[in-house]
Amino acid sequence: MIFALALAGCNRDQVQVQVQEVPKESQSTTAPLAQSGDATSQPMNPHAGMDMGAAGTQAVKWIVPTGWQRKALSQMRVGSFTAPGKDGQSADVSVIPLPTMGPEMELNNLNMWRGELQLPPATKAESEPVTIGPGQGKLFEIADGKTPGRIIVAEIDRDGTSYYFKMRGDDAAVRDQKPAFLEFLKSVSFAASPATAMTDPHAGMTITSDLPQAGADSGAGLPAGWKEIPNPQMLLAKYVIQGSDDAKADVNVSMLAGTGGGVMMNISRWRGQLGLPPLSEEDFSKQAQTVDVGGSKATVVDMTGTDSKTGKKARLVGVIAPQAADTWFYKLMGDEQVVGQQKDTFMKFIQTAKFSNAP
C-alpha cells in the first residue's frame, strides 16, 4: 500500500521542495497500491489470505515550479497541483505511482488518455524520450488541435513501480505550462529508504458460499473448475478456469483506495484490452447494469472484442464494487464460450463476499 507522507517542505523565492513516501515494489508484494492510510483500517480480503511479505519504500522529491499551487491529495495521487495559464485557464498536474505492467499496456494507457479527450483510439503508442530526474522516461502528448483539451503524460519505471506525471487541462494552458512541466520532471529524485515490514491487511479471510466446492488442488471455497494462481503480481487474487481444448478464462481480483481512477476510466481500460474504443457517458449509461455487492451498488459491464494480447475473440465481464473508502475490481475475461458458461458462477462468487467494512 502507498503511505503518502509529506516529509519536508522548502519555500524560497516561491520554489518548493516536496518529499513523498511511496512504495518500492518487491517480488513478494502482491497487494494493489493505495494512496495512504493505516493498514489496520483497510478492508480485509473477502476471498483469500494474502502474504504481502516486506515492502520497501522510496522517497520521491521534486521542486514545484513558481506559480503552481498544491491541491489536496486524492485517490492514488502522491502529488497534486494546479498550473495556472492565461485568461483564467489552468491545468491539473498529478503524480501517481502504480505497479509496472510492461510495455504491452502502453497502448491501453494511451487510448485511456485519448478517451478522456473524446479522441478515437490509436493503433500505436508513440512517445518521445524525456528526462525524469536521474533517468530517462517516456513522454506522451495527446491532442488533435480541434478539441479544447490537451494531455501530457511522462512515465518512468523504477524497481517495479511506474511513476506517471500527468498534466491535463485547456489546450492553451497546457502548452503554456509545458516548459515548467519539463523542468518539474528534471527536478525529480528518488532516494531509497530502509525496508519497512507491513502487516497484511488482507490476511485470514474466508469466503462463505453455497457454490460447488473446488478440489483440494484448487483451494477450498472456490467454485468447481477454478484454480488459484498463487502470489499474482499486482492483484489480490487470480484464478484460471480451463475449458475444452485450449480455451480458458481468467478471474482477476484487485482493490484500490478511493475510486481507483473512477468507473469510466477503468471501463475504458478494459475496453482497450478488447480493442474497443472508449464509450461516451451516454452510451455507458445505456449498457451498464448494477448489482448489490456487500451492501452497496456495483457496476457491471459485459463486452466482447479481440484480446489485444492473443489476437483472439474474447469476452469480458467486469464488476466495479465500491466499499467504504475503497473500490474492488473483479474481471472475468477469456474465451467467449468459457466466459458465457462461467458468468453466473462469477457473479455469485462476487456476491458471496463478506466485507469487514461493509455498510
Side-chain angles (χ1 to χ4, degrees):
M1 308 296 291
I2 295 178
F3 292 82
L5 177 65
L7 299 182
C10 173
N11 189 348
R12 182 178 298 174
D13 297 331
Q14 297 184 345
V15 176
Q16 306 159 341
V17 177
Q18 191 174 74
V19 181
Q20 302 284 24
E21 289 291 347
V22 300
K24 179 179 178 182
E25 287 289 300
S26 67
Q27 291 182 347
S28 60
T29 301
T30 59
L33 297 172
Q35 180 204 326
S36 63
D38 183 351
T40 59
S41 68
Q42 297 299 322
M44 300 177 74
N45 183 354
H47 300 291
M50 296 291 164
D51 180 12
M52 290 177 63
T57 60
Q58 193 174 71
V60 182
K61 301 179 182 180
W62 51 65
I63 298 175
V64 181
T66 301
W68 285 22
Q69 300 173 352
R70 286 194 184 95
K71 297 195 300 183
L73 301 182
S74 61
Q75 296 176 7
M76 300 300 293
R77 298 186 178 200
V78 298
S80 189
F81 311 94
T82 295
K86 300 176 181 178
D87 302 323
Q89 296 177 328
S90 65
D92 174 74
V93 180
S94 61
V95 183
I96 299 177
L98 291 171
T100 298
M101 302 184 72
E104 66 275 3
M105 288 300 296
E106 284 187 2
L107 183 59
N108 287 337
N109 289 335
L110 175 61
N111 285 330
M112 178 180 66
W113 299 323
R114 291 179 63 85
E116 294 179 25
L117 297 180
Q118 303 298 311
L119 298 178
T123 57
K124 182 180 180 181
E126 297 183 351
S127 64
E128 59 183 86
V130 64
T131 299
I132 303 178
Q136 180 172 285
K138 295 181 179 181
L139 188 73
F140 302 86
E141 189 157 1
I142 302 98
D144 66 351
K146 300 177 182 178
T147 56
R150 179 178 292 262
I151 295 175
I152 300 177
V153 181
E155 183 266 339
I156 189 170
D157 299 333
R158 297 277 301 187
D159 300 323
T161 298
S162 294
Y163 296 85
Y164 294 89
F165 302 82
K166 178 181 177 183
M167 181 165 64
R168 174 187 174 180
D170 299 297
D171 182 77
V174 173
R175 285 189 286 108
D176 182 58
Q177 285 292 330
K178 183 176 179 180
F181 181 71
L182 295 177
E183 290 301 314
F184 173 65
L185 297 178
K186 292 178 182 178
S187 75
V188 171
S189 63
F190 302 90
S193 62
T196 303
M198 298 177 64
T199 302
D200 180 4
H202 306 290
M205 291 307 298
T206 58
I207 178 171
T208 57
S209 171
D210 57 1
L211 295 170
Q213 298 298 294
D217 62 339
S218 299
L222 295 182
W226 289 30
K227 182 177 181 180
E228 184 173 3
I229 303 299
N231 301 322
Q233 291 186 349
M234 299 166 288
L235 298 171
L236 284 179
K238 183 179 181 68
Y239 311 97
V240 173
I241 309 169
Q242 192 66 49
S244 58
D245 298 326
D246 293 330
K248 70 180 183 70
D250 295 330
V251 175
N252 292 347
V253 182
S254 61
M255 184 272 286
L256 294 174
T259 63
V263 171
M264 286 300 297
M265 187 193 79
N266 284 284
I267 298 300
S268 296
R269 176 170 57 85
W270 285 342
R271 288 181 64 84
Q273 294 172 9
L274 292 174
L276 301 174
L279 284 176
S280 65
E281 292 278 358
E282 182 179 359
D283 289 338
F284 169 74
S285 63
K286 294 177 182 178
Q287 297 185 23
Q289 299 177 337
T290 60
V291 65
D292 288 328
V293 175
S296 299
K297 290 293 184 182
T299 301
V300 183
V301 292
D302 189 339
M303 44 202 173
T304 301
T306 301
D307 191 325
S308 59
K309 292 183 179 180
T310 66
K312 297 180 179 180
K313 191 172 183 180
R315 182 176 175 183
L316 185 155
V317 179
V319 177
I320 300 176
Q323 291 293 319
D326 308 303
T327 302
W328 290 76
F329 300 87
Y330 298 86
K331 183 179 73 172
L332 168 65
M333 178 177 170
D335 177 81
E336 187 176 15
Q337 184 176 4
V338 176
V339 172
Q341 294 170 344
Q342 292 288 329
K343 181 178 178 179
D344 289 345
T345 301
F346 171 70
M347 296 303 300
K348 196 168 186 179
F349 170 75
I350 296 170
Q351 291 175 288
T352 59
K354 304 298 182 183
F355 297 89
S356 61
N357 60 347

